[in-house]
Amino acid sequence: MNYFLDVLKKYAVFSGRARRKEYWMYMLFVAIIYVVLLVIGIAAKVTWLPIIFYVAILLPSLGVTIRRLHDTGRSGWWILFGLVPLVGGITLFVFSVLDSEPGDNKYGPNPKLAPAHV
């Protein structure tokens, strides 16, 4: 839960780096919350409920994805490659599962060397 809240605290931060764990834990919580809101929305016949959630987390999601790309040594502009049908999404998925670039890179220090969450 801390990873999800940390990303929300960095609401529109596009600089720096995000570890693989931070990115995937955030995405896991987003998926869980989305499914819960979808079920509630279907049961209450309020189909716009999950859409409101996705609009609310748009900037934090973009921010953590760009920071994840930075962690692998790629520019945040690679996120636009996701607009290419099929190939773009697969490429971004592969980039998101790759390990961090060891040591410092031009986007900042390696977040793996920072103190871990407890």
Side-chain angles (χ1 to χ4, degrees):
M1 187 68 167
N2 284 338
Y3 289 104
F4 182 75
L5 296 175
D6 287 346
V7 170
L8 292 182
K9 287 177 188 174
K10 298 177 188 176
Y11 191 77
V13 176
F14 300 102
S15 61
R17 296 168 66 170
R19 292 182 64 184
R20 214 175 2 189
K21 186 173 185 178
E22 175 185 2
Y23 176 80
W24 285 110
M25 291 301 287
Y26 172 77
M27 290 301 173
L28 174 67
F29 278 102
V30 165
I32 291 169
I33 293 169
Y34 178 78
V35 168
V36 168
L37 289 175
L38 186 64
V39 169
I40 292 171
I42 290 171
K45 293 183 175 45
V46 184
T47 56
W48 49 264
L49 197 58
I51 296 169
I52 296 294
F53 171 68
Y54 261 164
V55 169
I57 63 162
L58 179 65
L59 281 177
S61 297
L62 286 173
V64 75
T65 303
I66 289 172
R67 289 194 312 273
R68 180 70 200 128
L69 288 167
H70 287 171
D71 194 42
T72 61
R74 290 169 181 79
S75 169
W77 290 105
W78 272 98
I79 199 167
L80 295 177
F81 195 67
L83 297 174
V84 176
L86 190 64
V87 176
I90 293 170
T91 304
L92 287 179
F93 173 75
V94 169
F95 288 166
S96 67
V97 297
L98 291 176
D99 198 11
S100 302
E101 209 174 53
D104 296 352
N105 67 13
K106 65 181 180 179
Y107 302 106
N110 189 340
K112 282 187 177 180
L113 305 176
H117 284 79
V118 179

